Amino acid sequence: MKSIVSAQKAISMIKDGASVMIGGFLECGAPDMLIDELVKQNKKNLTMISNDTTYPDADKGRLIVNKQIKKLITSHIGTNPETGKQMHAGELDVELVPMGTLIEKIRAKGTGLGGVLTPTGVGTVLEENKETMNIDGKKFIFEKPLGADFALIYGTKVDKYGNVSFYGTTRNLNTVMATAADTVIVQADELVECLDPNEVVIPGLFVDYIVVKENN
Amino acid sequence: MKSIVSAQKAISMIKDGASVMIGGFLECGAPDMLIDELVKQNKKNLTMISNDTTYPDADKGRLIVNKQIKKLITSHIGTNPETGKQMHAGELDVELVPMGTLIEKIRAKGTGLGGVLTPTGVGTVLEENKETMNIDGKKFIFEKPLGADFALIYGTKVDKYGNVSFYGTTRNLNTVMATAADTVIVQADELVECLDPNEVVIPGLFVDYIVVKENN
Amino acid sequence: MELTAQKSIEKEIKSSLVTDPISHSHKELTKEQIREIVAKRAAKEFREGDVVTLGIGLPTAVANYVPENMHVIFQSENGLLGVGKDQKGNIDKRVINAGGGYVEARQGACFYDSQMAFTMMRGGHIDATVLGALQVDSDGSLASWMIPGKMVPGMGGSMDLVVGAKKVIVAMEHTSKGQIKIVEKCTLPLTAFREVNMIITERCVFEVENDGLVLKEINPMFSVDDIKASTGADFRICDNLKAMC
Amino acid sequence: MELTAQKSIEKEIKSSLVTDPISHSHKELTKEQIREIVAKRAAKEFREGDVVTLGIGLPTAVANYVPENMHVIFQSENGLLGVGKDQKGNIDKRVINAGGGYVEARQGACFYDSQMAFTMMRGGHIDATVLGALQVDSDGSLASWMIPGKMVPGMGGSMDLVVGAKKVIVAMEHTSKGQIKIVEKCTLPLTAFREVNMIITERCVFEVENDGLVLKEINPMFSVDDIKASTGADFRICDNLKAMC
């Protein structure tokens, strides 16, 4: 049985300066309540790892607007003008990584591999300052694993054993992030007693804390 | 809509000397009917990629006993004495790969990566004749991607769009093999009109042919 | 999301590029006409059963021109194989496309996570992709994700997609705000090196071959000289040059 | 499946190894007694909520000795988190453990594919593993998957498991058919280099520390001299040596 806690308590574990992975593709499948609490508790100097920075008034985007992020590792910032503005002003350190590479870096950490050898970005500026490897005449970029202190993820249904299932396109990066952080907090749309074992997408062993949306 | 064919027709596409990935962990989740047909059609000089060689009288094991396999890439042969016998007699070329590495090699092929950097086997005989890479002071073995001409996989429920879902522990290597072969043939316990899109484990685009168990 | 910020970027391309001599002539088409010509033509590249990933903007419109009796499956990098129409009525925010639009899942669709999405995309399982460009060059290299010091939306999934898709089709306006986009060598940072197979604009269709661009089709509204004047790269004219339709 | 062929292998170890001087003495225990002593002791290493992967054979028996009020979750590499009891009655062949046995899935269990299984195992998400050995040495290196030229069952998932698990416990008979198994340096091909944290036998408990083996507990049936005589590696005796129970 996993600890079921309030958003307030879950987020209070995060210290200023921590690295935090946050799930969601734009607003879809983002743990909005956990992010709101992160804004409320005003944690500072965070490293945020996320697919994107959504919009200025939405979940992850608010962390940018509220200047809580010191370093951002992401694949796309075009939907939130504030991110580009802070980056160009030198206030925010942004590392742009192709989406597929970002996912594999996180997966490499979660699955215990030494890194990723990807063809993505070969022949582009991304190759600069990276190690490359020639394999059977084709060039690949080496990328290191990427983990974090915390992962804040979303689940449509979560059971008391920490098993998570999803509806629709809400899975996105939530699944891989669950494997790559020291502490994983899942925001559940719905808490159930026990999921059908065939339905589970994230096995319970990856989840440390459950925050239930309706309880907050 | 995918082609629904007989086992006879599906297996007739496989030529002597082809490389074939076969799903299943021991007998669980193995496409037994497709394998039986492979025995019946007596395809020869095959390269088989599989988790194990089960037992002498069961699915993949029968291919060994019937001497249809020239080269075997697998993680475990201890359950089938015939495999070891043929290996020691020099009749069968066996490449033993740790299970996790085997899976990642297949995944690397399916997901378009240049290879795998694994800590598994470092400091053992597996390191011999392999490239290694030091990453932040830790040693990793480099392994190349592994694909095949055909993948013969199992699915509990398959829909007409090729989407596959599973019951119990039948998933095993079926999922990753579906991504790494030129032609993927799935044996369906049950053919359904359309699966719930949230239930699908192997997306339909990976499947080329469906063989339905009850039809044969 | 590959090209979400395309429009804002295009506003920024003002400097250093060659001007299109015919964009302000009588041959100018409206945005809507251009969109229709390009999308219609791009849709003809699909074959029965193809799995296709579309970029945001003009490429999204390509889905509207697939013949009714042809089955083309649209894939979206955020985890949906079988993208359907835009949702109407009660919106379910749990089903979106890569641009953040609320869409339906078609019969036979499935949902999956980002790992699986990029196994499809980088792994060579997508038959064709149609996307826009800031610049595309005679080597088939593509620039679409940033203008240094100005606009940097990020590459999103575009770099993986272009590297992995079996066929890469750039579908765009031939020039943008009067600036030339088809060039000898991209000057903007690349999205991918030598991955584009075909360029479709309102004026013509180029295929990218080993020796450079080949003009395969031309919109009868334009002359070969018009194409030459509005294209920044040399090209060979196909022996069997056809009218674009 | 890590150790499926363990027994057949052990038959093959006949040559070149030092003989256990006490295995045929009055101190000999039955196989069943050994199994119980070792499994009982190994089960004490688990903590509330631990996720544990057990090898085949003796290690499987460890599950029987977990206290009723403690929640330990057993993981099986073939895709089951929450391995339950053996199936009785109508057998469902679609739910097995790594040894091919038909098992139940416990309340709260889940099924997954092999990629996920090895993400758990190699990725450091398994709290403890208990497995057997042909040899284990004072460096914490382990040999368990082959005897060159004789028996080569293969490593299965054992190499990944031993590299990845947070705590690696070897649970075995102290000697096998009178041959010594705890050695200074393994002579058989390794399963993993320096990954074992603890060795539990019917005679004693060793921890593997940086300077070698440390005898932490001893079965009162045996003397330290017995242990010395039946162990092929030097070891340090813990200041606070306890009776094994």
Side-chain angles (χ1 to χ4, degrees):
Chain A
M1 297 289 190
K2 298 288 173 175
S3 298
I4 300 165
V5 298
S6 66
Q8 189 279 325
K9 190 180 167 198
I11 296 301
S12 72
M13 294 185 287
I14 302 174
K15 304 281 169 252
D16 287 354
S19 56
V20 185
M21 293 179 165
I22 306 183
F25 192 110
L26 296 169
E27 292 176 276
C28 191
D32 56 342
M33 196 177 60
L34 299 179
I35 299 167
D36 287 352
E37 186 64 30
L38 207 49
V39 171
K40 198 168 152 195
Q41 294 188 23
N42 201 23
K43 305 290 183 180
K44 293 287 194 187
N45 294 317
L46 301 173
T47 293
M48 178 163 87
I49 299 160
S50 63
N51 184 68
D52 53 69
T53 55
T54 55
Y55 314 108
D57 57 348
D59 57 86
K60 299 180 293 281
R62 294 178 62 207
L63 293 166
I64 300 285
V65 172
N66 202 30
K67 301 198 174 176
Q68 294 177 250
I69 310 300
K70 193 174 94 182
K71 161 123 190 166
L72 172 66
I73 304 173
T74 192
S75 78
H76 199 270
I77 60 174
T79 52
N80 188 339
E82 182 64 18
T83 311
K85 217 167 97 186
Q86 290 183 21
M87 177 177 75
H88 283 114
E91 294 166 14
L92 177 61
D93 178 10
V94 178
E95 186 181 336
L96 284 165
V97 184
M99 201 180 291
T101 303
L102 180 65
I103 292 156
E104 286 299 314
K105 281 167 71 76
I106 297 169
R107 181 178 183 277
K109 172 71 182 177
T111 200
L113 297 176
V116 182
L117 294 163
T118 183
T120 303
V122 169
T124 77
V125 293
L126 290 197
E127 205 184 307
E128 290 168 18
N129 309 317
K130 299 267 179 188
E131 282 182 78
T132 60
M133 192 161 167
N134 273 291
I135 302 166
D136 294 336
K138 213 183 145 187
K139 202 176 191 180
F140 294 86
I141 295 175
F142 169 73
E143 291 272 356
K144 285 195 182 171
L146 179 63
D149 299 328
F150 291 87
L152 309 183
I153 65 167
Y154 161 94
T156 307
K157 285 188 188 174
V158 181
D159 74 17
K160 292 181 173 172
Y161 302 86
N163 296 306
V164 183
S165 74
F166 293 92
Y167 183 91
T169 56
T170 58
R171 301 181 190 197
N172 52 67
L173 281 74
N174 289 301
T175 51
V176 76
M177 286 175 171
T179 70
D182 294 340
T183 302
V184 176
I185 304 165
V186 61
Q187 168 185 323
D189 265 4
E190 189 187 339
L191 181 71
V192 300
E193 189 59 36
C194 188
L195 284 168
D196 174 341
N198 295 288
E199 239 178 49
V200 173
V201 177
I202 300 178
L205 97 172
F206 294 107
V207 170
D208 298 298
Y209 296 94
I210 302 168
V211 176
V212 186
K213 185 139 191 183
E214 64 239 47
N215 284 359
N216 280 262
Chain B
M1 297 290 189
K2 299 286 173 177
S3 298
I4 300 165
V5 297
S6 66
Q8 190 278 327
K9 191 182 167 195
I11 296 303
S12 71
M13 293 186 287
I14 302 177
K15 303 282 170 252
D16 286 355
S19 56
V20 185
M21 295 181 163
I22 307 183
F25 193 109
L26 297 170
E27 292 176 276
C28 191
D32 56 342
M33 194 178 58
L34 298 179
I35 299 168
D36 287 351
E37 186 64 31
L38 208 47
V39 172
K40 199 170 154 196
Q41 296 189 20
N42 201 24
K43 305 289 183 180
K44 292 287 192 186
N45 295 316
L46 302 173
T47 294
M48 179 162 87
I49 300 160
S50 63
N51 185 68
D52 53 68
T53 55
T54 55
Y55 314 109
D57 58 348
D59 57 84
K60 300 180 292 282
R62 295 179 61 207
L63 292 168
I64 301 286
V65 172
N66 201 31
K67 302 202 174 174
Q68 295 177 247
I69 311 299
K70 193 174 92 182
K71 163 124 192 168
L72 172 67
I73 304 173
T74 190
S75 78
H76 198 271
I77 59 175
T79 52
N80 188 340
E82 182 64 18
T83 312
K85 219 168 93 185
Q86 290 183 19
M87 177 177 75
H88 283 114
E91 294 166 13
L92 176 63
D93 177 12
V94 178
E95 186 181 335
L96 285 165
V97 184
M99 201 181 291
T101 303
L102 180 64
I103 292 156
E104 286 298 315
K105 281 168 70 73
I106 298 169
R107 181 178 184 274
K109 172 69 182 179
T111 200
L113 298 176
V116 181
L117 294 163
T118 182
T120 303
V122 169
T124 77
V125 292
L126 289 199
E127 205 184 308
E128 290 168 20
N129 308 318
K130 298 267 181 189
E131 283 182 76
T132 60
M133 193 162 165
N134 273 291
I135 302 165
D136 294 338
K138 213 182 147 189
K139 202 176 191 180
F140 294 86
I141 294 175
F142 169 73
E143 291 273 357
K144 285 195 183 172
L146 179 63
D149 300 327
F150 290 87
L152 307 184
I153 65 167
Y154 162 94
T156 307
K157 284 187 189 178
V158 181
D159 72 17
K160 294 184 171 169
Y161 303 87
N163 295 305
V164 183
S165 75
F166 294 91
Y167 182 90
T169 55
T170 58
R171 300 181 192 198
N172 52 66
L173 280 75
N174 288 301
T175 50
V176 75
M177 286 176 171
T179 69
D182 295 340
T183 302
V184 177
I185 304 167
V186 61
Q187 169 185 322
D189 265 2
E190 190 186 339
L191 181 71
V192 299
E193 189 59 36
C194 188
L195 285 168
D196 175 341
N198 295 288
E199 241 179 44
V200 173
V201 177
I202 301 178
L205 97 172
F206 293 108
V207 170
D208 297 299
Y209 296 94
I210 303 169
V211 176
V212 186
K213 185 140 190 185
E214 64 240 46
N215 285 358
N216 280 263
Chain C
M1 201 162 79
E2 298 88 35
L3 297 167
T4 303
Q6 192 71 18
K7 279 182 193 167
S8 2
I9 291 181
E10 289 181 357
K11 281 186 208 153
E12 302 282 335
I13 316 185
K14 287 170 194 157
S15 55
S16 78
L17 299 172
V18 184
T19 302
D20 175 6
I22 59 165
S23 67
H24 297 285
S25 75
H26 62 287
K27 289 171 182 168
E28 201 168 1
L29 297 157
T30 66
K31 286 275 175 197
E32 287 65 35
Q33 286 170 320
I34 289 171
R35 192 185 180 89
E36 188 182 332
I37 294 168
V38 175
K40 219 171 186 169
R41 177 59 190 81
K44 292 191 176 142
E45 290 302 307
F46 306 150
R47 286 171 305 180
E48 175 66 23
D50 270 0
V51 176
V52 173
T53 305
L54 301 176
I56 305 297
L58 191 158
T60 302
V62 176
N64 302 330
Y65 297 98
V66 176
E68 283 256 332
N69 57 349
M70 183 185 266
H71 298 91
V72 172
I73 301 160
F74 292 101
Q75 189 271 356
S76 189
E77 72 192 28
N78 60 305
L80 172 52
L81 180 69
V83 178
K85 293 179 185 158
D86 291 348
Q87 288 183 45
K88 299 242 160 67
N90 282 331
I91 294 297
D92 185 342
K93 293 186 174 184
R94 298 173 301 177
V95 184
I96 68 167
N97 63 21
Y102 304 121
V103 292
E104 289 178 0
R106 289 184 63 170
Q107 166 101 347
C110 63
F111 301 117
Y112 40 87
D113 70 4
S114 300
Q115 295 177 62
M116 179 52 91
F118 284 85
T119 289
M120 294 178 183
M121 290 160 68
R122 186 188 46 229
H125 307 282
I126 301 294
D127 296 301
T129 181
V130 182
L131 24 71
L134 295 169
Q135 291 180 328
V136 56
D137 71 24
S138 53
D139 280 343
S141 293
L142 167 72
S144 62
W145 70 282
M146 76 173 290
I147 302 172
K150 292 195 169 172
M151 196 74 189
V152 188
M155 64 293 282
S158 63
M159 284 192 177
D160 300 281
L161 178 59
V162 174
V163 163
K166 289 180 196 163
K167 184 166 191 172
V168 177
I169 300 165
V170 166
M172 62 178 192
E173 274 191 82
H174 199 92
T175 62
S176 174
K177 318 266 172 196
Q179 305 294 332
I180 280 175
K181 299 173 75 176
I182 303 170
V183 296
E184 198 60 44
K185 205 95 193 162
C186 290
T187 53
L188 293 170
L190 296 185
T191 301
F193 179 67
R194 294 196 175 176
E195 296 285 356
V196 176
N197 303 105
M198 189 177 229
I199 304 166
I200 298 173
T201 77
E202 78 282 14
R203 297 181 191 174
C204 66
V205 177
F206 286 116
E207 284 192 8
V208 183
E209 299 193 356
N210 287 336
D211 60 345
L213 301 183
V214 181
L215 183 69
K216 303 287 263 192
E217 296 174 25
I218 189 165
N219 180 339
M221 289 175 68
F222 298 87
S223 68
V224 170
D225 282 342
D226 286 340
I227 305 297
K228 281 187 177 162
S230 58
T231 302
D234 288 337
F235 56 84
R236 190 155 60 78
I237 300 169
C238 175
D239 292 342
N240 181 25
L241 182 65
K242 287 181 184 159
M244 189 180 167
C245 58
Chain D
M1 204 160 77
E2 296 88 35
L3 296 167
T4 301
Q6 192 71 18
K7 280 181 190 168
S8 2
I9 292 182
E10 288 179 358
K11 283 187 209 154
E12 303 281 334
I13 316 186
K14 289 169 195 161
S15 56
S16 80
L17 298 173
V18 184
T19 302
D20 177 4
I22 57 168
S23 66
H24 299 283
S25 76
H26 64 287
K27 288 171 181 167
E28 200 171 3
L29 296 158
T30 65
K31 286 275 174 199
E32 288 63 37
Q33 287 171 320
I34 289 172
R35 193 186 180 87
E36 187 181 333
I37 295 168
V38 175
K40 220 170 188 169
R41 177 60 190 82
K44 292 192 175 140
E45 289 302 308
F46 306 149
R47 286 170 305 181
E48 175 66 24
D50 270 0
V51 176
V52 174
T53 304
L54 301 177
I56 305 297
L58 192 158
T60 302
V62 177
N64 302 329
Y65 298 98
V66 176
E68 284 256 333
N69 57 351
M70 182 185 268
H71 299 92
V72 173
I73 301 161
F74 292 102
Q75 190 270 355
S76 190
E77 71 191 30
N78 61 306
L80 172 52
L81 181 70
V83 179
K85 292 178 184 157
D86 292 347
Q87 288 184 44
K88 299 239 161 70
N90 284 329
I91 295 297
D92 185 343
K93 293 187 174 183
R94 298 173 301 178
V95 183
I96 68 168
N97 64 19
Y102 304 122
V103 293
E104 289 179 0
R106 290 184 62 170
Q107 167 103 344
C110 62
F111 300 118
Y112 40 86
D113 70 5
S114 300
Q115 296 176 62
M116 179 54 92
F118 284 84
T119 289
M120 292 178 184
M121 290 159 68
R122 185 188 47 230
H125 307 282
I126 302 293
D127 296 303
T129 182
V130 183
L131 23 72
L134 295 169
Q135 292 180 325
V136 57
D137 71 23
S138 54
D139 281 343
S141 292
L142 168 72
S144 62
W145 71 282
M146 76 175 288
I147 301 171
K150 292 194 171 174
M151 196 74 189
V152 188
M155 63 294 280
S158 61
M159 285 192 174
D160 300 282
L161 179 58
V162 174
V163 163
K166 288 179 196 163
K167 184 166 191 172
V168 177
I169 301 166
V170 167
M172 62 179 191
E173 274 192 82
H174 200 92
T175 61
S176 172
K177 319 267 171 195
Q179 306 295 331
I180 280 176
K181 299 175 75 176
I182 303 171
V183 296
E184 197 62 45
K185 205 93 193 164
C186 291
T187 53
L188 293 171
L190 297 185
T191 302
F193 179 67
R194 294 194 174 179
E195 295 286 356
V196 176
N197 303 106
M198 187 174 232
I199 304 166
I200 298 173
T201 77
E202 77 283 12
R203 300 184 190 173
C204 67
V205 176
F206 286 116
E207 285 194 6
V208 184
E209 300 194 353
N210 287 336
D211 60 346
L213 301 182
V214 181
L215 183 69
K216 302 289 265 192
E217 297 173 27
I218 188 165
N219 180 339
M221 289 175 67
F222 298 87
S223 69
V224 170
D225 282 341
D226 287 339
I227 306 297
K228 280 185 180 162
S230 58
T231 302
D234 288 338
F235 56 83
R236 192 156 57 82
I237 300 168
C238 176
D239 293 343
N240 180 27
L241 182 64
K242 287 181 183 160
M244 190 179 166
C245 60

